[in-house]
Amino acid sequence: MKNQEIEPSETGDKQGTSTHWICTANHGFAPYAQEELRRLFGAVKSTVLIPGEVLRVTLQEEAEQVIEAIAGKPPVFLRHLFHIDWEWRASEQGELAAGIDELVAAAMSDPRLRDAATIAVQPRKSEHSLWSDSTAELKDMLQNRLSELKAEFVVRDADYIVSVFVGKEFIYAGISQPAHNISDWNGGAVRFQREEGQISRAKFKLLEAELTFGIDFSVFREALDIGAAPGGWTSFLLDRGLKVTAVDPAKMHPSLQNAPNLTMLRKNAGEVKFREHQFDLLVCDMSWSPKLTARLVSELLYALVPGGTAIVTVKLLSKKPMALIQEVIDMFQQSRMQVQRAKQLFHNRDEITLYMIKY
Ligand SMILES: C[S@@+](CC[C@H](N)C(=O)[O-])C[C@H]1O[C@@H](n2cnc3c(N)ncnc32)[C@H](O)[C@@H]1O
């Protein structure tokens, strides 16, 4: 595909390279994703496609440099991006059908797709989009139109992803390797099926942490779960074969009452005592003041073995979340915790997840 520069607002770009991207964050957090890009690349120009969530961003860098810089400093709030290889404006270039025809023709002639064994088509749309049917229908239509390619259409682990965003006036498309989009899920929206008997949606946060941070929870022996009720995380860890101590003044779900590997302490986390190095995993999802959470967790870190892992959600109560995150990270670092990743997962709402290792 060829990048067709057609948006008039881009004519003021400073001399040299500029590349264009569709960038996505959790709802309400796009300004922080934009700030992360600004800190990495300097000036950032953006147009809102979905308020608070999806932006079309111009960066004064080559695509390869953008991808490399992001891989070197994974962002907290920028959940997904794709490089715009091709864009098309409705009013100037005809009706939607004409745009789709051009998009399909460009994709069919792209050497990356012609040689790919597997392709994932990831369509999205804005409200009041040129595409009025569902995104599932958009995906079916695109896959039908691209069916002459020899590739098999898959959802995960594709050789290439075809990302398409249909807005109010524009169609944007890009072809990329999954590793270059931050997340290989469509728009970084990690979807899990709710299971029968699942205790809480909070379980999805730990499932997503496992997937995103590449943590194999089954290798741990014994976990401390702080702020455990009603028990979504606890049941997840029990399912992975761990012994779990769950601390929460609130009640755990009745289905956990007789779990053989579970010790329940109906107490405040400030009142509990453990053996030194008793646990090799500490998880905490207290939904509480972030600095008090950091202090409480820090005071319990004697119970985590050196080399042990901690997963802690940090509630973003403040209007300055980036400064708050840095303060909380500094507090943990003073408690001998090395932060491996700080990330707003798709299943985090007004919070982020810290993945740390004790040294
Ligand atoms: C978001 S819920 C946890 C959900 C849980 N991770 C799950 O998967 O079901 C937050 C919990 O933290 C608990 N909590 C808040 N402050 C606490 C404290 N100081 N000590 C222990 N638990 C606390 C609350 O009682 C509440 O049950």
Side-chain angles (χ1 to χ4, degrees):
M1 285 188 185
K2 267 257 183 271
N3 194 347
Q4 300 182 345
E5 282 298 305
I6 48 176
E7 196 177 5
S9 65
E10 296 308 330
T11 51
D13 282 348
K14 77 175 185 210
Q15 285 238 313
T17 315
S18 67
T19 51
H20 311 288
W21 306 80
I22 299 295
C23 296
T24 305
N26 283 7
H27 185 70
F29 289 90
Y32 304 110
Q34 178 168 319
E35 174 59 15
E36 290 178 315
L37 290 169
R38 194 196 60 76
R39 289 180 188 188
L40 273 175
F41 303 110
V44 172
K45 278 204 274 177
S46 67
T47 317
V48 174
L49 300 179
I50 298 181
E53 212 172 308
V54 183
L55 306 172
R56 177 195 181 279
V57 168
T58 299
L59 301 173
Q60 308 298 319
E61 292 284 352
E62 300 273 3
E64 291 72 23
Q65 270 136 22
V66 171
I67 289 162
E68 206 178 300
I70 286 177
K73 195 170 188 325
V76 178
F77 294 105
L78 179 63
R79 193 176 82 197
H80 182 275
L81 87 172
F82 75 81
H83 175 244
I84 302 173
D85 289 309
W86 177 92
E87 65 181 53
W88 179 89
R89 185 177 197 157
S91 50
E92 288 175 3
Q93 290 168 269
E95 297 304 310
L96 175 67
I100 300 281
D101 285 348
E102 277 187 37
L103 163 60
V104 169
M108 293 296 288
S109 63
D110 192 289
R112 291 170 293 181
L113 295 190
R114 281 209 313 269
D115 295 339
T118 52
I119 296 172
V121 176
Q122 297 190 343
R124 285 183 290 156
K125 54 179 251 181
S126 63
E127 233 191 308
H128 312 298
S129 165
L130 292 165
W131 180 265
S132 54
D133 295 330
S134 70
T135 45
E137 286 164 301
L138 179 56
K139 180 173 176 171
D140 283 348
M141 181 276 292
L142 288 170
Q143 291 191 172
N144 275 334
R145 299 280 308 266
L146 296 174
S147 61
E148 275 171 37
L149 290 167
K150 67 174 194 293
E152 181 194 347
F153 291 108
V154 294
V155 177
R156 303 248 77 72
D157 299 324
D159 291 341
Y160 283 98
I161 295 176
V162 180
S163 305
V164 177
F165 189 97
V166 186
K168 277 191 246 181
E169 292 176 73
F170 282 91
I171 307 176
Y172 304 100
I175 295 172
S176 46
Q177 291 172 309
H180 295 173
N181 290 12
I182 299 179
S183 166
D184 75 336
W185 295 73
N186 190 359
V190 181
R191 307 276 181 194
F192 299 116
Q193 283 241 302
R194 206 180 162 114
E195 294 153 12
E196 226 183 281
Q198 187 173 321
I199 291 171
S200 67
R201 289 192 67 82
K203 176 180 175 180
F204 290 147
K205 288 192 265 184
L206 211 49
L207 260 173
E208 191 183 343
E210 179 176 58
L211 199 75
T212 307
F213 303 143
I215 303 168
D216 178 1
F217 282 104
S218 64
V219 302
F220 299 109
R221 170 180 48 80
E222 186 167 354
L224 172 60
D225 184 355
I226 307 168
W233 286 26
T234 291
S235 73
F236 168 88
L237 295 171
L238 291 169
D239 288 348
R240 290 286 185 275
L242 278 74
K243 264 179 84 175
V244 181
T245 299
V247 180
D248 201 309
K251 243 187 167 168
M252 297 290 274
H253 193 269
S255 64
L256 292 168
Q257 286 307 317
N258 300 315
N261 285 328
L262 174 61
T263 306
M264 288 192 268
L265 302 175
R266 268 193 84 175
K267 288 188 172 169
N268 188 298
E271 306 163 357
V272 287
K273 289 267 172 299
F274 303 104
R275 291 195 313 280
E276 197 184 7
H277 303 167
Q278 180 174 337
F279 306 101
D280 55 356
L281 175 67
L282 181 154
V283 297
C284 173
D285 181 31
M286 268 191 331
S287 242
W288 203 36
S289 146
K291 285 192 229 165
L292 290 175
T293 300
R295 210 169 68 208
L296 250 177
V297 171
S298 296
E299 283 166 6
L300 288 170
L301 283 172
Y302 68 90
L304 185 67
V305 74
T309 289
I311 304 289
V312 179
T313 55
V314 177
K315 194 109 184 147
L316 302 173
L317 299 168
S318 107
K319 290 205 177 80
K320 293 187 175 163
M322 291 170 115
L324 174 72
I325 292 166
Q326 196 50 56
E327 261 188 89
V328 170
I329 285 178
D330 290 347
M331 286 173 77
F332 278 120
Q333 276 169 344
Q334 282 160 21
S335 305
R336 303 175 63 81
M337 296 304 285
Q338 193 176 57
V339 177
Q340 306 293 303
R341 282 290 296 278
K343 183 167 172 59
Q344 187 169 51
L345 302 172
F346 176 65
H347 290 283
N348 285 139
R349 298 214 183 266
D350 50 350
E351 62 188 12
I352 62 152
T353 298
L354 290 180
Y355 162 32
M356 301 178 285
I357 293 184
K358 184 176 170 183
Y359 58 90

